[in-house]
Amino acid sequence: MGSSSSVNANFKYALQKSENAFKAAVLIQRWYRRYVARLEMRRRCTWRIFQSIEYACEQDQIKLHDFFSYLMDHFTPSSSKERDFISRMFISGESFKEVELEKYCDYESMEVPDSYTGPHLSFPLLPDHATALLEAFKQKQQLHARYVLNLLHETRKHLKQLPNISHVSTCYSEEVTVCGDLHGQLDDLFLIFYKNGLPSPSKSYVFNGDFVDRGKQSLEILIVLFTFLLVYPNEVHLNRGNHEDHMVNLRYGFSAVHGRKILKMIQNVFCWLPLATLIDQKVLIIHGGISDTTDLDMLEKIKRHKFVSVLRGKKRKESNRNVEIQEINGESKADASPATGPSPEPRPAQAPSMTNRLEFSKWVRQTVQEQIEWCRRLADISDSEEEEELTSSSCVSMADLDAPCWTRQEEQKQVSILDILWSDPMPQEGCRENTVRGGGCYFGPDVTEKILEKYSLQFLIRSHECKHEGYEFCHNRKVLTIFSASNYYEIGSNRGAYVKLGPDLVPHFVQYQANKTAHTLTMTQRISRVEESAFRALREKLFAHTSGLISAFKAYDKDGTGRITLSNWATAVESVLRLGLPWRMLRPQLVRSTADGLLEYKSWLEDLAVEQRSQEHIQSGLLEVIYRNRSNLETIFRIIDRDHSGLISFEEFHQTWKLFSSHMNIELTDDGINDLVRSIDFNKDGNIDFNEFLEAFRLVKQSQDSHSSRGLW
């Protein structure tokens, strides 16, 4: 009896112990899942910050280009010297004639000095040349400019023979490897070749655009890819991306670090890159995406080399899209319902007699101002400051106002290329303008399905978007995004990946991290590091819009308490930055709250100013303006700097300042500009570098501020 009770007691004890163990396991599991969910939420918020800022920069570039196009289309220089200068600034991206280009980039006249210890190239290229280049770049050696120009010349000759859409077959090789964006990250390319093997007759590669920009080794990547292209012309295929574009390169720095002749040849090579690749007539590879008007038959007939920059020309308008679709469906313009769009171009009133110079001058100023406002609406150039006045030194070419920049057919071709290079997929049905990037469109699963059905395709492969795991399926696994630049935003932010396709066309993925530090970090450390970098970039963006934020906050803070509700704070911040971020979730990382739940925006903005001033010893108000406009100023500087030496001449500075003065609300005489240029040439070398260029911006900004303050008294 006693033995039986003892067994029961032991059984109950064991049962209780097991039950406690199960409860503990469940608690630990719940805690871990909650912990991982919080980390994932932080990662996604961080990702949204990086992506929103990146796309906002691309949108700014397109708006800046639209402004340049407006200047070219609507201003007539007052002298032949100004006309030549403007032509050099804005038409320098156009193609050279064949003979002119060969004469301009004459590599044969360049001598390689005996002291040169880098790799040597001789044509036709052999596989040993390619492997020697790889080893040289691993040793941080550089290729001499003569060989670079020679390589670009041969690459251009080869690309000119290729169709717009390359055709690849898995019958002639074991598999085809598709790589996405590399963005100047040579270590990623090295790792791909290490893991997957070098290009060979049995191993074909398709590199899907965006070889350059952002990374520091863009030229090296081009040299390696072009070399393998010439060694294995049937196994290596290159698609054009949206960053293989002269105007985009000006903003993102690739054009700022290499010689003028090399860059001229590169931009000419870029415009000859094929636009798409077809594998076994079943898999379409394009850089960005498609639209509801994508026509592969038309794409094959486009003279792609004419589009040095696909940003040139007019932007897609939704109303134009609808009209085109209606015409295709057999509907006339008269039957179509009126689409809302920009206001019609203002027609100039009857010009007064030139005998009355005052009246005629007034008429010119009024007419030009109307045209400027109309062009700004077309180009989506909005002014956050007060409306600017047009100075009398700016003249408009009235004869050119009614002439379109491109014919309708050319515009359709440009939009078609813009779509495949800039577009992104979306989960919703339909096709709409990509307002986030500023170019291309968003296309839904129905658009994908129609294209696949029309051309008997199995699925699409595209790149263009950074993905956390290096790849991602969407549209019922009919669209595959592949991205090959690991650690794109920050170390640990994302993996890179490539995809391999065999004769069965079943995708097999390989993921990697090219940075050794990323392998040593825990998941928490990676997310914390990336999060810190993202919020630093976001705080810079917020600081750059301090003035706009103060105005938005004051609209909710009628009593001037310096405090507003979380809801009003989030609404105000989004109205100014327009980044589409979850500001309520980001609030704890950005701004303090009081005991009653209100946010102290005044102290928060003061803290932002202190943080940025600690890095740049500049007046807070001016620093805000420079932060907000620095990318645009760098782009403008690079356009003026035609030889890419990092310097602009006094004459170029003088002409530029006259050109932009009417749009910066600044009026300076010729003597005033001469005094300004002499005062900022600190080292007295007769040229202006970028820091001196910013100094001119600072001096004029201070002059404006002093005039404004005098006007208040």
Side-chain angles (χ1 to χ4, degrees):
M1 193 73 177
S3 174
S4 176
S5 62
S6 175
V7 170
N8 289 336
N10 289 337
F11 176 75
K12 289 181 179 179
Y13 175 75
L15 188 63
Q16 183 67 38
K17 190 174 181 180
S18 299
E19 186 179 345
N20 290 339
F22 276 117
K23 287 182 178 178
V26 170
L27 285 174
I28 292 172
Q29 190 180 57
R30 286 178 179 174
W31 173 85
Y32 180 74
R33 286 177 176 173
R34 193 178 299 117
Y35 172 74
V36 171
R38 285 176 180 153
L39 284 179
E40 179 62 15
M41 183 180 67
R42 287 170 57 191
R43 186 195 68 79
R44 292 191 181 190
C45 284
T46 300
W47 196 265
R48 285 279 299 276
I49 292 171
F50 276 128
Q51 205 167 58
S52 297
I53 293 175
E54 177 189 3
Y55 292 172
C57 288
E58 291 184 345
Q59 191 179 85
D60 287 345
Q61 169 61 20
I62 291 179
K63 287 184 178 181
L64 182 62
H65 179 266
D66 289 338
F67 177 70
F68 289 159
S69 299
Y70 150 73
L71 282 179
M72 279 298 297
D73 293 342
H74 295 273
F75 278 87
T76 300
S78 59
S79 66
S80 59
K81 187 178 291 186
E82 286 187 11
R83 185 179 299 108
D84 293 341
F85 172 71
I86 294 174
S87 177
R88 282 189 280 112
M89 277 185 68
F90 299 116
I91 309 181
S92 60
E94 298 298 342
S95 298
F96 273 71
K97 291 181 180 178
E98 190 76 22
V99 178
E100 292 176 348
L101 187 67
E102 291 191 9
K103 184 178 179 181
Y104 178 76
C105 300
D106 181 18
Y107 57 87
E108 293 180 349
S109 63
M110 301 177 67
E111 293 186 2
V112 180
D114 296 335
S115 58
Y116 173 70
T117 58
H120 295 258
L121 296 181
S122 60
F123 295 83
L125 292 174
L126 300 173
D128 289 344
H129 290 119
T131 53
L133 268 178
L134 290 177
E135 290 303 316
F137 288 154
K138 287 178 182 178
Q139 301 300 322
K140 309 300 181 184
Q141 293 180 334
Q142 292 183 336
L143 185 65
H144 192 273
R146 184 196 190 282
Y147 298 128
V148 175
L149 285 171
N150 196 353
L151 176 65
L152 293 172
H153 177 77
E154 295 297 325
T155 302
R156 180 174 175 272
K157 281 170 56 179
H158 171 71
L159 291 175
K160 287 175 65 176
Q161 302 172 15
L162 300 182
N164 290 345
I165 301 178
S166 303
H167 293 264
V168 182
S169 174
T170 57
C171 297
Y172 302 109
S173 61
E174 297 175 0
E175 59 189 12
V176 178
T177 302
V178 183
C179 302
D181 300 35
L182 288 168
H183 279 302
Q185 298 185 189
L186 187 60
D187 287 342
D188 287 297
L189 184 59
F190 284 155
L191 191 55
I192 291 170
F193 286 158
Y194 173 77
K195 284 179 169 288
N196 197 56
L198 296 176
S200 68
S202 61
K203 194 175 292 293
S204 295
Y205 276 89
V206 177
F207 293 93
N208 197 22
D210 278 14
F211 318 124
V212 301
D213 284 336
R214 295 196 171 95
K216 296 180 179 180
Q217 293 176 295
S218 295
L219 182 60
E220 287 82 351
I221 284 182
L222 289 180
I223 291 172
V224 170
L225 294 182
F226 292 163
T227 300
F228 276 111
L229 174 69
L230 296 179
V231 174
Y232 300 108
N234 297 319
E235 288 77 34
V236 176
H237 308 272
L238 308 180
N239 283 350
R240 185 175 182 176
N242 68 306
H243 278 262
E244 279 68 61
D245 186 296
H246 170 63
M247 293 304 297
V248 177
N249 297 154
L250 286 170
R251 188 177 195 91
Y252 290 99
F254 173 59
S255 63
V257 293
H258 306 296
R260 180 181 175 186
K261 290 185 177 182
I262 290 176
L263 288 171
K264 181 60 65 178
M265 277 298 293
I266 285 175
Q267 74 184 48
N268 204 274
V269 169
F270 280 171
C271 69
W272 280 106
L273 286 169
L275 303 173
T277 300
L278 266 174
I279 299 180
D280 292 345
Q281 301 296 320
K282 292 295 182 182
V283 179
L284 177 64
I285 306 173
I286 46 181
H287 179 73
I290 55 177
S291 74
D292 52 1
T293 60
T294 295
D295 185 340
L296 297 186
D297 297 326
M298 184 185 76
L299 206 62
E300 285 189 317
K301 299 173 183 176
I302 292 175
K303 294 182 179 179
R304 64 183 187 273
H305 65 282
K306 289 189 174 183
F307 299 90
V308 176
S309 174
V310 297
L311 298 182
R312 295 184 182 277
K314 297 180 180 179
K315 291 173 56 179
R316 162 203 306 282
K317 293 296 178 184
E318 209 66 34
S319 56
N320 292 346
R321 231 176 137 63
N322 295 335
V323 169
E324 289 172 15
I325 295 168
Q326 287 163 353
E327 289 178 346
I328 291 170
N329 293 335
E331 299 176 26
S332 67
K333 293 181 181 180
D335 298 333
S337 58
T340 58
S343 57
E345 178 183 354
R347 307 300 302 175
Q350 182 70 28
S353 172
M354 287 193 65
T355 55
N356 190 336
R357 291 182 177 273
L358 184 62
E359 286 297 320
F360 184 79
S361 175
K362 184 178 179 181
W363 172 82
V364 169
R365 288 168 63 89
Q366 180 181 352
T367 304
V368 172
Q369 189 64 40
E370 290 174 356
Q371 293 293 340
I372 287 175
E373 294 306 319
W374 177 74
C375 289
R376 280 185 180 139
R377 289 194 293 273
L378 279 183
D380 192 25
I381 302 173
S382 57
D383 296 327
S384 57
E385 307 296 331
E386 294 181 359
E387 197 173 76
E388 303 170 9
E389 281 190 13
L390 179 71
T391 61
S392 58
S393 62
S394 301
C395 301
V396 73
S397 175
M398 297 296 179
D400 294 337
L401 285 175
D402 294 330
C405 298
W406 291 9
T407 65
R408 180 190 174 99
Q409 188 177 17
E410 287 174 327
E411 187 176 340
Q412 286 178 332
K413 292 176 181 178
Q414 182 259 354
V415 169
S416 180
I417 298 177
L418 193 70
D419 283 341
I420 65 170
L421 298 187
W422 281 83
S423 298
D424 295 307
M426 66 177 180
Q428 299 83 9
E429 301 279 302
C431 185
R432 60 184 175 85
E433 187 177 357
N434 192 333
T435 55
V436 176
R437 287 189 189 267
C441 68
Y442 285 116
F443 62 98
D446 58 325
V447 177
T448 298
E449 196 61 44
K450 288 177 183 177
I451 290 290
L452 296 181
E453 184 178 349
K454 180 179 179 180
Y455 297 102
S456 302
L457 301 172
Q458 290 186 12
F459 62 96
L460 307 178
I461 297 179
R462 41 95 60 181
S463 302
H464 195 43
E465 284 185 287
C466 181
K467 298 298 179 182
H468 181 247
E469 295 297 328
Y471 72 95
E472 183 180 276
F473 277 107
C474 64
H475 293 183
N476 300 315
R477 297 180 69 85
K478 298 295 185 182
V479 174
L480 168 63
T481 298
I482 195 80
F483 196 85
S484 299
S486 63
N487 307 292
Y488 179 62
Y489 293 123
E490 177 61 71
I491 294 176
S493 64
N494 66 285
R495 296 179 181 180
Y498 55 87
V499 59
K500 300 192 289 185
L501 300 172
D504 57 1
L505 298 180
V506 175
H508 299 278
F509 302 98
V510 178
Q511 299 167 287
Y512 54 85
Q513 282 274 9
N515 189 286
K516 294 180 179 179
T517 304
H519 293 283
T520 64
L521 299 175
T522 65
M523 182 171 64
T524 305
Q525 288 173 331
R526 282 201 306 271
I527 291 175
S528 297
R529 181 169 184 162
V530 176
E531 186 179 55
E532 181 182 351
S533 177
F535 277 102
R536 183 166 58 249
L538 184 58
R539 281 192 288 270
E540 287 182 5
K541 198 81 173 174
L542 289 163
F543 172 73
H545 292 81
T546 299
S547 300
L549 289 171
I550 290 175
S551 300
F553 292 150
K554 284 183 177 180
Y556 293 104
D557 183 21
K558 301 296 185 182
D559 299 328
T561 62
R563 301 187 299 175
I564 56 176
T565 65
L566 172 60
S567 176
N568 290 340
W569 177 84
T571 303
V573 173
E574 178 58 28
S575 69
V576 175
L577 267 68
R578 301 184 183 278
L579 293 177
L581 292 173
W583 295 106
R584 291 171 179 265
M585 294 177 62
L586 301 178
R587 193 277 309 166
Q589 298 279 356
L590 295 172
V591 58
R592 297 187 300 270
S593 62
T594 61
D596 54 0
L598 296 177
L599 306 182
E600 297 179 337
Y601 69 85
K602 282 188 176 179
S603 60
W604 170 56
L605 293 175
E606 289 171 359
D607 291 342
L608 282 178
V610 170
E611 180 181 346
Q612 303 306 324
R613 275 204 306 268
S614 65
Q615 302 172 28
E616 306 274 357
H617 303 290
I618 305 177
Q619 177 191 354
S620 179
L622 173 64
L623 187 61
E624 174 201 340
V625 176
I626 290 179
Y627 264 79
R628 188 166 63 245
N629 295 282
R630 186 181 180 96
S631 293
N632 286 339
L633 291 171
E634 285 180 335
T635 304
I636 293 169
F637 185 86
R638 288 168 187 154
I639 291 174
I640 305 168
D641 179 21
R642 293 184 63 243
D643 59 358
H644 307 285
S645 62
L647 300 170
I648 57 179
S649 68
F650 280 9
E651 182 182 357
E652 288 173 329
F653 179 88
H654 186 279
Q655 300 292 350
T656 305
W657 207 260
K658 286 187 66 176
L659 184 64
F660 287 105
S661 61
S662 62
H663 303 281
M664 298 173 68
N665 200 22
I666 301 166
E667 293 191 15
L668 286 175
T669 63
D670 287 349
D671 291 338
I673 298 176
N674 291 333
D675 290 340
L676 174 63
V677 71
R678 283 192 293 268
S679 68
I680 64 174
D681 182 22
F682 299 126
N683 56 7
K684 306 303 178 185
D685 63 348
N687 292 296
I688 306 298
D689 61 27
F690 181 66
N691 288 328
E692 292 171 335
F693 189 69
L694 286 182
E695 179 68 9
F697 189 82
R698 182 183 74 82
L699 290 174
V700 175
K701 177 68 170 58
Q702 285 184 334
S703 174
Q704 284 181 289
D705 292 341
S706 63
H707 284 305
S708 300
S709 61
R710 282 198 295 270
L712 294 174
W713 293 98

